[in-house]
Amino acid sequence: MLINLSSDTVTKPTPAMLQAMLQAEVGDDVFQADPTVNALEAKGAALFGKEAALFCPSGTMTNQIAIKVHTQALDEVICHEYSHIYQYETGGYAFNSGVALQLLPGKEGKITADQVEAAIRPVYDWLPISKLVSLENTANKAGGSYYTLEEIKPISDLCRKKGLKIHLDGARLYNALAETGESTQAVGELFDSVSLCLSKGLGAPVGSLLIGDKEFIRQARRFRKVMGGGMRQAGFLAAAGIYALDHHVDRLKEDHAHARQIGETLKELPMVENIRPIRTNLIFFDVKAPYTAASFLDVLAKQGIQSVPMGPQTVRFVTHLDVTAEMVAKVQQALREM
Ligand SMILES: *Cc1c(COP(=O)(O)O)cnc(C)c1O
């Protein structure tokens, strides 16, 4: 039994999802003639109370397109220093959009309206123009922590008052909503654009949705094309996305419970320290010398348990659709035997 805790992106389609994919009606989506892609986009837009959506190959692409549409070169995006758009998108904000980022610190990957207000630049020739705020929910590098709508609302209100756009990197938004019980509709009201990964906790093999108003999506579609993301019979993939939204949202709570169970076991281990608060499906902790993250993971690998180091001493485990209760028990046992 191989247990892969590297990421929630490693899930494979379930037999029922594969069945839905095989039965998809398809067409050429570059001509907007793929009925299954169109259905997924309509579903995504409706979920967030927005006018339109765009199916893209990845969450990196949906974020990059959102930055591109919302900004011009020499503008600035305000975000947390741990943001995926800064940390893990190859510096694409500079390459694709010619913008700067203003990085803010903040507990558990979160920023506040006061911080954003202080970060907004006055208008001088020698300063970039503050144009966009990007929030991440859940926050990946911060350990899967989440914002509540109550925390987001003042930031959204401020952006509207000051004429800034606000984007949500919601790669794992549904993990946040599983904890808060809040609705996608209510989220949609607070953002100009939302990026949603279908290929993380939701368990689709490929794809992300970018959601916004009609004019935003019209421009986004052009940038998707120039980035090489115009796919043809993408309905086979979109069908997996529809299936994921219909069947894999309610079960995310199980992943969170599994993460907390593993966290309880980690607390018993003398070589483990600094376990970050486990809010959703991500588990971050440090291992003490003489262990390194790599040597710790080598021991687990011999038991068929895989993950990846997130720093010299830092390990991340991710629970997901393909991690069963039985596997969690096996992980707990392997940890106790270390
Ligand atoms: C995974 C992730 C992305 C990007 O998704 P890819 O599909 O891997 O490109 C964006 N933001 C966050 C927070 C993520 O965790």
mmCIF file of all heavy atoms in Angstrom, residues 285-288 290-300 307-316:
data_model
loop_
_atom_site.group_PDB
_atom_site.id
_atom_site.type_symbol
_atom_site.label_atom_id
_atom_site.label_comp_id
_atom_site.label_asym_id
_atom_site.label_seq_id
_atom_site.Cartn_x
_atom_site.Cartn_y
_atom_site.Cartn_z
ATOM 1 N N PHE A 285 5.298 20.646 9.946
ATOM 2 C CA PHE A 285 6.025 20.519 11.218
ATOM 3 C C PHE A 285 7.520 20.472 10.948
ATOM 4 O O PHE A 285 7.951 20.282 9.811
ATOM 5 C CB PHE A 285 5.572 19.261 11.975
ATOM 6 C CG PHE A 285 5.774 17.975 11.206
ATOM 7 C CD1 PHE A 285 6.921 17.212 11.382
ATOM 8 C CD2 PHE A 285 4.811 17.532 10.310
ATOM 9 C CE1 PHE A 285 7.109 16.020 10.659
ATOM 10 C CE2 PHE A 285 4.993 16.350 9.580
ATOM 11 C CZ PHE A 285 6.137 15.600 9.758
ATOM 12 N N ASP A 286 8.298 20.675 12.011
ATOM 13 C CA ASP A 286 9.755 20.608 11.905
ATOM 14 C C ASP A 286 10.248 19.344 12.596
ATOM 15 O O ASP A 286 9.615 18.860 13.550
ATOM 16 C CB ASP A 286 10.398 21.827 12.566
ATOM 17 C CG ASP A 286 10.014 23.124 11.853
ATOM 18 O OD1 ASP A 286 9.697 23.067 10.651
ATOM 19 O OD2 ASP A 286 10.026 24.184 12.515
ATOM 20 N N VAL A 287 11.359 18.824 12.111
ATOM 21 C CA VAL A 287 12.005 17.688 12.783
ATOM 22 C C VAL A 287 13.319 18.170 13.399
ATOM 23 O O VAL A 287 13.979 19.057 12.855
ATOM 24 C CB VAL A 287 12.254 16.506 11.811
ATOM 25 C CG1 VAL A 287 10.932 15.913 11.354
ATOM 26 C CG2 VAL A 287 13.096 16.918 10.618
ATOM 27 N N LYS A 288 13.653 17.590 14.555
ATOM 28 C CA LYS A 288 14.852 18.030 15.285
ATOM 29 C C LYS A 288 16.086 17.302 14.773
ATOM 30 O O LYS A 288 16.013 16.129 14.391
ATOM 31 C CB LYS A 288 14.691 17.704 16.779
ATOM 32 C CG LYS A 288 13.619 18.526 17.478
ATOM 33 C CD LYS A 288 13.563 18.151 18.969
ATOM 34 C CE LYS A 288 12.246 18.564 19.582
ATOM 35 N NZ LYS A 288 11.967 17.909 20.856
ATOM 36 N N PRO A 290 19.384 15.088 15.142
ATOM 37 C CA PRO A 290 20.119 14.901 13.884
ATOM 38 C C PRO A 290 19.221 14.620 12.667
ATOM 39 O O PRO A 290 19.734 14.492 11.565
ATOM 40 C CB PRO A 290 21.020 13.701 14.189
ATOM 41 C CG PRO A 290 20.254 12.904 15.197
ATOM 42 C CD PRO A 290 19.495 13.914 16.025
ATOM 43 N N TYR A 291 17.908 14.491 12.849
ATOM 44 C CA TYR A 291 17.046 14.318 11.677
ATOM 45 C C TYR A 291 17.082 15.580 10.816
ATOM 46 O O TYR A 291 17.186 16.698 11.333
ATOM 47 C CB TYR A 291 15.589 14.110 12.101
ATOM 48 C CG TYR A 291 15.213 12.668 12.362
ATOM 49 C CD1 TYR A 291 14.912 12.231 13.650
ATOM 50 C CD2 TYR A 291 15.139 11.760 11.308
ATOM 51 C CE1 TYR A 291 14.554 10.920 13.906
ATOM 52 C CE2 TYR A 291 14.781 10.434 11.546
ATOM 53 C CZ TYR A 291 14.492 10.017 12.845
ATOM 54 O OH TYR A 291 14.125 8.723 13.079
ATOM 55 N N THR A 292 16.980 15.386 9.503
ATOM 56 C CA THR A 292 16.628 16.473 8.589
ATOM 57 C C THR A 292 15.290 16.063 7.979
ATOM 58 O O THR A 292 14.876 14.900 8.104
ATOM 59 C CB THR A 292 17.656 16.614 7.455
ATOM 60 O OG1 THR A 292 17.664 15.369 6.715
ATOM 61 C CG2 THR A 292 19.036 16.914 8.000
ATOM 62 N N ALA A 293 14.644 17.007 7.327
ATOM 63 C CA ALA A 293 13.379 16.658 6.669
ATOM 64 C C ALA A 293 13.604 15.479 5.725
ATOM 65 O O ALA A 293 12.807 14.539 5.681
ATOM 66 C CB ALA A 293 12.833 17.877 5.927
ATOM 67 N N ALA A 294 14.728 15.531 4.998
ATOM 68 C CA ALA A 294 15.011 14.477 4.014
ATOM 69 C C ALA A 294 15.228 13.122 4.685
ATOM 70 O O ALA A 294 14.702 12.102 4.223
ATOM 71 C CB ALA A 294 16.220 14.867 3.166
ATOM 72 N N SER A 295 15.997 13.095 5.794
ATOM 73 C CA SER A 295 16.275 11.792 6.429
ATOM 74 C C SER A 295 15.019 11.250 7.112
ATOM 75 O O SER A 295 14.777 10.037 7.127
ATOM 76 C CB SER A 295 17.449 11.902 7.411
ATOM 77 O OG SER A 295 17.095 12.655 8.555
ATOM 78 N N PHE A 296 14.211 12.137 7.659
ATOM 79 C CA PHE A 296 12.936 11.736 8.268
ATOM 80 C C PHE A 296 12.032 11.083 7.203
ATOM 81 O O PHE A 296 11.446 10.017 7.423
ATOM 82 C CB PHE A 296 12.273 12.983 8.865
ATOM 83 C CG PHE A 296 10.973 12.758 9.599
ATOM 84 C CD1 PHE A 296 10.961 12.427 10.940
ATOM 85 C CD2 PHE A 296 9.757 12.919 8.936
ATOM 86 C CE1 PHE A 296 9.754 12.251 11.625
ATOM 87 C CE2 PHE A 296 8.550 12.733 9.602
ATOM 88 C CZ PHE A 296 8.554 12.400 10.956
ATOM 89 N N LEU A 297 11.985 11.737 6.035
ATOM 90 C CA LEU A 297 11.128 11.212 4.957
ATOM 91 C C LEU A 297 11.677 9.906 4.372
ATOM 92 O O LEU A 297 10.907 9.054 3.932
ATOM 93 C CB LEU A 297 10.948 12.274 3.868
ATOM 94 C CG LEU A 297 10.060 13.454 4.295
ATOM 95 C CD1 LEU A 297 10.111 14.583 3.269
ATOM 96 C CD2 LEU A 297 8.610 12.995 4.510
ATOM 97 N N ASP A 298 13.012 9.748 4.417
ATOM 98 C CA ASP A 298 13.612 8.488 3.951
ATOM 99 C C ASP A 298 13.125 7.306 4.788
ATOM 100 O O ASP A 298 12.858 6.229 4.260
ATOM 101 C CB ASP A 298 15.144 8.551 4.047
ATOM 102 C CG ASP A 298 15.749 9.295 2.866
ATOM 103 O OD1 ASP A 298 15.009 9.525 1.875
ATOM 104 O OD2 ASP A 298 16.939 9.653 2.938
ATOM 105 N N VAL A 299 13.035 7.525 6.108
ATOM 106 C CA VAL A 299 12.574 6.447 6.993
ATOM 107 C C VAL A 299 11.132 6.081 6.638
ATOM 108 O O VAL A 299 10.788 4.905 6.509
ATOM 109 C CB VAL A 299 12.675 6.874 8.484
ATOM 110 C CG1 VAL A 299 12.111 5.790 9.391
ATOM 111 C CG2 VAL A 299 14.124 7.193 8.844
ATOM 112 N N LEU A 300 10.290 7.101 6.445
ATOM 113 C CA LEU A 300 8.891 6.827 6.103
ATOM 114 C C LEU A 300 8.754 6.178 4.731
ATOM 115 O O LEU A 300 7.878 5.323 4.518
ATOM 116 C CB LEU A 300 8.077 8.131 6.141
ATOM 117 C CG LEU A 300 7.820 8.725 7.522
ATOM 118 C CD1 LEU A 300 7.036 10.023 7.382
ATOM 119 C CD2 LEU A 300 7.055 7.747 8.413
ATOM 120 N N SER A 307 6.376 11.800 1.034
ATOM 121 C CA SER A 307 6.066 13.225 1.043
ATOM 122 C C SER A 307 7.298 13.989 0.598
ATOM 123 O O SER A 307 8.279 13.373 0.184
ATOM 124 C CB SER A 307 5.582 13.694 2.410
ATOM 125 O OG SER A 307 4.935 14.948 2.250
ATOM 126 N N VAL A 308 7.232 15.327 0.679
ATOM 127 C CA VAL A 308 8.358 16.134 0.208
ATOM 128 C C VAL A 308 8.759 17.134 1.295
ATOM 129 O O VAL A 308 7.905 17.635 2.022
ATOM 130 C CB VAL A 308 8.015 16.905 -1.086
ATOM 131 C CG1 VAL A 308 8.013 15.983 -2.276
ATOM 132 C CG2 VAL A 308 6.684 17.623 -0.961
ATOM 133 N N PRO A 309 10.075 17.429 1.404
ATOM 134 C CA PRO A 309 10.494 18.434 2.378
ATOM 135 C C PRO A 309 10.062 19.837 1.937
ATOM 136 O O PRO A 309 10.032 20.125 0.745
ATOM 137 C CB PRO A 309 12.024 18.320 2.399
ATOM 138 C CG PRO A 309 12.417 17.512 1.214
ATOM 139 C CD PRO A 309 11.206 16.856 0.647
ATOM 140 N N MET A 310 9.703 20.698 2.901
ATOM 141 C CA MET A 310 9.345 22.085 2.582
ATOM 142 C C MET A 310 10.401 23.051 3.117
ATOM 143 O O MET A 310 10.202 24.262 3.122
ATOM 144 C CB MET A 310 7.976 22.438 3.175
ATOM 145 C CG MET A 310 6.819 21.715 2.538
ATOM 146 S SD MET A 310 6.561 22.106 0.793
ATOM 147 C CE MET A 310 5.701 23.668 0.931
ATOM 148 N N GLY A 311 11.513 22.526 3.592
ATOM 149 C CA GLY A 311 12.625 23.307 4.119
ATOM 150 C C GLY A 311 13.597 22.301 4.681
ATOM 151 O O GLY A 311 13.276 21.107 4.729
ATOM 152 N N PRO A 312 14.800 22.716 5.112
ATOM 153 C CA PRO A 312 15.808 21.760 5.602
ATOM 154 C C PRO A 312 15.270 20.891 6.750
ATOM 155 O O PRO A 312 15.563 19.702 6.819
ATOM 156 C CB PRO A 312 16.947 22.650 6.088
ATOM 157 C CG PRO A 312 16.714 23.996 5.482
ATOM 158 C CD PRO A 312 15.272 24.103 5.126
ATOM 159 N N GLN A 313 14.456 21.498 7.640
ATOM 160 C CA GLN A 313 13.911 20.751 8.781
ATOM 161 C C GLN A 313 12.388 20.610 8.702
ATOM 162 O O GLN A 313 11.780 20.043 9.603
ATOM 163 C CB GLN A 313 14.256 21.467 10.105
ATOM 164 C CG GLN A 313 15.751 21.600 10.402
ATOM 165 C CD GLN A 313 16.473 20.270 10.528
ATOM 166 O OE1 GLN A 313 17.504 20.061 9.885
ATOM 167 N NE2 GLN A 313 15.947 19.352 11.311
ATOM 168 N N THR A 314 11.786 21.175 7.670
ATOM 169 C CA THR A 314 10.318 21.263 7.622
ATOM 170 C C THR A 314 9.716 20.217 6.692
ATOM 171 O O THR A 314 10.168 20.036 5.556
ATOM 172 C CB THR A 314 9.881 22.672 7.168
ATOM 173 O OG1 THR A 314 10.506 23.628 8.021
ATOM 174 C CG2 THR A 314 8.361 22.836 7.229
ATOM 175 N N VAL A 315 8.695 19.549 7.204
ATOM 176 C CA VAL A 315 7.998 18.523 6.437
ATOM 177 C C VAL A 315 6.544 18.966 6.257
ATOM 178 O O VAL A 315 5.959 19.553 7.157
ATOM 179 C CB VAL A 315 8.028 17.162 7.171
ATOM 180 C CG1 VAL A 315 7.199 16.109 6.432
ATOM 181 C CG2 VAL A 315 9.466 16.682 7.345
ATOM 182 N N ARG A 316 5.988 18.704 5.078
ATOM 183 C CA ARG A 316 4.564 18.927 4.858
ATOM 184 C C ARG A 316 3.913 17.596 4.506
ATOM 185 O O ARG A 316 4.425 16.856 3.670
ATOM 186 C CB ARG A 316 4.338 19.927 3.710
ATOM 187 C CG ARG A 316 2.855 20.257 3.512
ATOM 188 C CD ARG A 316 2.610 21.179 2.318
ATOM 189 N NE ARG A 316 2.596 20.430 1.062
ATOM 190 C CZ ARG A 316 2.138 20.924 -0.100
ATOM 191 N NH1 ARG A 316 1.700 22.174 -0.172
ATOM 192 N NH2 ARG A 316 2.153 20.180 -1.187
#
